[in-house]
Amino acid sequence: MSRYNLGWYYYYLSSYDRMLRMAFWMKRFIFNCRNSTSRITGELSHQEIKQAELKIAKMIQDEYFIHEVNRKKLNSFTSYKDGEGILRVMTKITNQKDSEDFKNPNILPSHHQVVERLIMTEHKENSHAGLQMLLNILREHYCILNARKTVRSVLSKCVICLRHAKRNVTTPSASLPENRIKDVAVFEIIGFDLAGPLYHCI
């Protein structure tokens, strides 16, 4: 993605949650400036968060799929744009009574900083889920290109998972003493394994 003109929010916001909060606070600020008589105050609603999430997804799609090379990657999908301009995948469960994200997940590129931060956020929020579990969670809302390879790449950067995946430090075995390896007659050198308390009378 270095050859693309990345947005400023990629550099100032280190996590997907912060990026999401920035987006819906800006949307509320713009709405309140344009509608001074009916301003929205108080805590952020679920609907506002969802709108901000869709806005970020659309920004990612507009940046990535503007190039002809990247648009060719969609040839293997039956894709369409919904009413808000979000690029989605047409699935076999389109007629199911469920959320739009579950029936027709929006398409996200594989190598994108926001997508990588989204994967890392889902990974941490789900108790550092493994590869297959994290893929199943992401596929409920998103269709990420080369998802398995992308998720594996992101998980390899998780410090906590790397720390727990490392093997314990082992001590190399010491060399055997001379009495254990010397060629002698039978029972010329013997050893005893002692257990329990030893009483010595004086």
Side-chain angles (χ1 to χ4, degrees), residues 133-167:
M133 181 181 293
L134 188 57
L135 279 172
N136 295 336
I137 294 171
L138 291 169
R139 283 169 179 167
E140 293 182 359
H141 304 281
Y142 312 100
C143 177
I144 303 175
L145 304 179
N146 298 323
R148 183 174 295 274
K149 183 179 179 180
T150 305
V151 172
R152 185 183 289 111
S153 175
V154 174
L155 293 184
S156 65
K157 301 174 185 177
C158 180
V159 178
I160 296 177
C161 292
L162 288 175
R163 186 181 302 163
H164 288 281
K166 292 297 183 182
R167 295 182 179 178

Side-chain angles (χ1 to χ4, degrees), residues 2 21 56 83 98 185 191 193:
S2 58
R21 288 181 175 275
I56 291 178
D98 212 316
D193 291 329

